[in-house]
Amino acid sequence: MRIFNASPLILLLEEIDEPDIIEELFNIDRELFIPERVVNEIKSKKAKKNLESLMGKGKINSCKNGKDEIFSFLKNRFPMLDEGELTVISIAYEYKRKDCFVIIDEYAGREISKKLGLNLKGIFGILLELYKNKKIKRERLMGTCRKIDKSNFR
């Protein structure tokens, strides 16, 4: 189970325009989710179009935002996080499954996820996983990493 925050999706779906990375990840883990609150954070036409296409193919699914009481607790405890990050973390915290990963690239969200004992990955972790599982070749891994390095990604 993977729960995506907005920035990794915006990077893949717009900035470097590689939505097929999500499709390859789906071949490893069929439980890819984006909370409703995070869906609403994706504003650009290109990223929305790519996301809608992936959702239409069933490669990533929208999910509820999780329990309000967990979200409120985390929001009070960690006010520096935005609502998308808080939602992703609160859903993962609610499930506490060994196979549940938060997909967050922002430093604060990653650090808080670690403190809460959650599994996490960022874009580079996903790319390495795809490479190790022979879903992408070395050339693709290196080329995508170069594209990320040249992008405006944080």
Side-chain angles (χ1 to χ4, degrees):
M1 175 181 210
R2 321 277 173 126
I3 307 165
F4 280 83
N5 189 35
S7 63
L9 287 172
I10 292 167
L11 175 69
L12 291 172
L13 303 179
E14 179 184 358
E15 290 188 39
I16 66 169
D17 195 22
E18 293 198 27
D20 61 305
I21 293 292
I22 300 294
E23 294 190 42
E24 293 298 342
L25 184 60
F26 179 79
N27 292 325
I28 294 173
D29 185 345
R30 300 217 180 259
E31 292 185 290
L32 306 181
F33 296 100
I34 177 172
E36 293 168 349
R37 195 173 280 127
V38 175
V39 170
N40 294 331
E41 288 184 0
I42 297 179
K43 304 290 185 198
S44 83
K45 288 180 183 179
K46 185 176 189 177
K48 276 185 177 184
K49 180 182 175 190
N50 282 329
L51 180 60
E52 288 168 1
S53 174
L54 289 166
M55 291 173 83
K57 295 176 187 175
K59 303 295 182 181
I60 189 167
N61 293 296
S62 176
C63 67
K64 300 268 185 228
N65 290 323
K67 293 183 178 176
D68 290 335
E69 57 270 12
I70 296 173
F71 178 84
S72 296
F73 170 78
L74 292 173
K75 187 173 183 172
N76 288 330
R77 180 93 166 93
F78 306 109
M80 73 290 290
L81 297 181
D82 69 32
E83 290 199 351
E85 292 166 323
L86 287 166
T87 302
V88 168
I89 291 169
S90 68
I91 293 169
Y93 187 81
E94 180 181 338
Y95 283 98
K96 280 277 190 170
R97 288 173 33 183
K98 284 185 180 181
D99 66 340
C100 182
F101 285 84
V102 295
I103 310 299
I104 293 179
D105 280 309
E106 291 83 6
Y107 179 78
R110 293 176 66 84
E111 289 301 304
I112 290 165
S113 295
K114 287 179 197 174
K115 285 181 185 177
L116 294 172
L118 302 176
N119 297 316
L120 69 109
K121 285 198 178 192
I123 289 298
F124 292 111
I126 287 172
L127 291 171
L128 285 172
E129 182 180 10
L130 291 173
Y131 174 70
K132 288 177 183 176
N133 283 282
K134 299 181 179 8
K135 299 297 179 188
I136 60 172
K137 293 184 178 180
R138 185 177 190 281
E139 296 78 22
R140 172 80 188 275
L141 170 67
M142 300 307 293
T144 301
C145 288
R146 278 192 291 277
K147 284 172 78 174
I148 291 169
D149 193 42
K150 291 178 182 177
S151 75
N152 292 324
F153 187 62
R154 309 175 186 110

